[in-house]
Amino acid sequence: MRHSCCVVSLALTGFLVTPLESRAQGRPIDWPALTRETQQVLGDYLRVNTTNPPGNELAGAKFLKAILDREGIEAVILDTTELGAGRANLYARLKGNGSKKAIALVHHIDVVPAAAAHWSVDPAGGVVKDGYLWGRGAIDMKGQGIAHLMAMLAIKRSGLTLNRDIVYIANADEELGSTGGIVFVNRHPELLRDVEYLITEGGDNQIDSAGRVQYFGVGVAEKRTFWQRLTVRGIPSHGSRPTRHNPVPRLVAALNRIANYETPLRATPGVRKFFRDIARLYPEPQRAWLMDIAGALNDPRAKEWILSDVYWNAILRNTISLTGLAGSDKTNVIPPEASAVLDIRLLPDQDEGEMLAILKGIVGDTAVHFSTLLGPKTPLENPVDTDLFRAIEKASTRAEPRSFVTTRMLTAATDRPTYRKLGIVTYGLDPFRVPAAESQRGMHGNDERISLENLGFGIRFLYDILRNVQ
Ligand SMILES: [Zn+2]
């Protein structure tokens, strides 16, 4: 009975909408059916083993291409020679009328290895259990890649008028060398020439205990890796007769000075906005502190509270973690050399030459040699006053009326600077409502999974954004 009732109301709606309007707005979408289809497609994608190393992204690219071909969206597999055996990037484009510039949806095909012994299900099985789809890549980032795909297919099937082409890109090797994104951007800039906006990983949403989104954190900036190796050379000899030429104590003294050095605190404009946005979630006096973060850092009580959050601490300064040490591997041998590695992360606007000069000044010993292990990528900072940002705000209000959208700085590194280099506005956006504890456990850890309810939420959220930005 209820079915026939629905049919009548649908028919009436159809009668009232002119063909032109219906084309602009698109035909209605059966979201539950699309969610079931998404679950099926993601399960299949999780079963394509793209563990990196070795990656084997070609199999993933072929899997995606078969779906795109079936849906009538032209897709090409690229860079197979340049990336090496079994590796590939994929590129596809859903054509619009070209009156506005394109928007790209980008994900990486590779996943990090899974230690199957520590999982409660087969990490490559694409198993559905307890309302979740389980598997390596469910969150990072095959789940997002399939949400991108299904949102794009929903747009195509609905017949919606597109002012912007939708470009779909899947890259190899994000988890290790980022060669997929780099090779793609270097070899095919013409495919990206008309792309104005790009969405990929690097967003971070805050979910409350009831599972509601407090805010959608759009990733507009990220810290820059500036890894250093410190080396001291000496004269090897027997440990039973100490000498002044042992490099180990000299290195330890240098490291001790670095460990005691506190990098200055500084809030970039994007970070100031982030704290002002989230202030509403806190009672006084914390709210006032967050509203004026620069001022609060001069108040000892406020400063202690703010810096006790490891994420907040990391977005307010350049950070240095001493992580690796090497001297002698024999207790009785003074080694010829001692070395250490530092994981340094710079704020987006920090000049790396200046940072190096500061470190050398602190160490104050020319016997300590610095060498750069991994230099910083192009700084990643993006404007917020864009049609895409407004499209995200509108979609988030529909999805979660009490939520807001803010700008997050990622403390880790992604492929985004590679695309940003071309002038593309590049946002990190997570379409799912994954509680922090869940993503902490699953991402690169054990029992990675995404709830089926979340899959439905994600495709609808992305569909709304793609529609709003037209
Ligand atoms: Zn990832």
Side-chain angles (χ1 to χ4, degrees), residues 108 140-141 174-175 201:
H108 58 85
D140 183 18
M141 117 173 247
E174 190 277 339
E175 296 288 4
E201 66 185 342

Side-chain angles (χ1 to χ4, degrees), residues 226-232 254-255 258 340 342 344 355-373:
F226 186 48
W227 294 354
Q228 292 289 314
R229 182 192 298 282
L230 272 57
T231 311
V232 178
L255 295 178
I258 291 175
L342 309 183
I344 300 173
M355 185 69 192
L356 191 57
I358 291 169
L359 286 174
K360 286 180 175 174
I362 288 158
V363 167
D365 182 351
T366 51
V368 180
H369 298 278
F370 287 76
S371 60
T372 300
L373 294 173

Side-chain angles (χ1 to χ4, degrees), residues 19-42:
L20 199 68
E21 277 168 343
S22 101
R23 178 134 182 82
Q25 291 168 7
R27 287 183 289 275
I29 290 159
D30 181 347
W31 292 106
L34 194 70
T35 303
R36 286 191 296 276
E37 188 183 348
T38 303
Q39 173 193 329
Q40 181 64 46
V41 173
L42 178 55

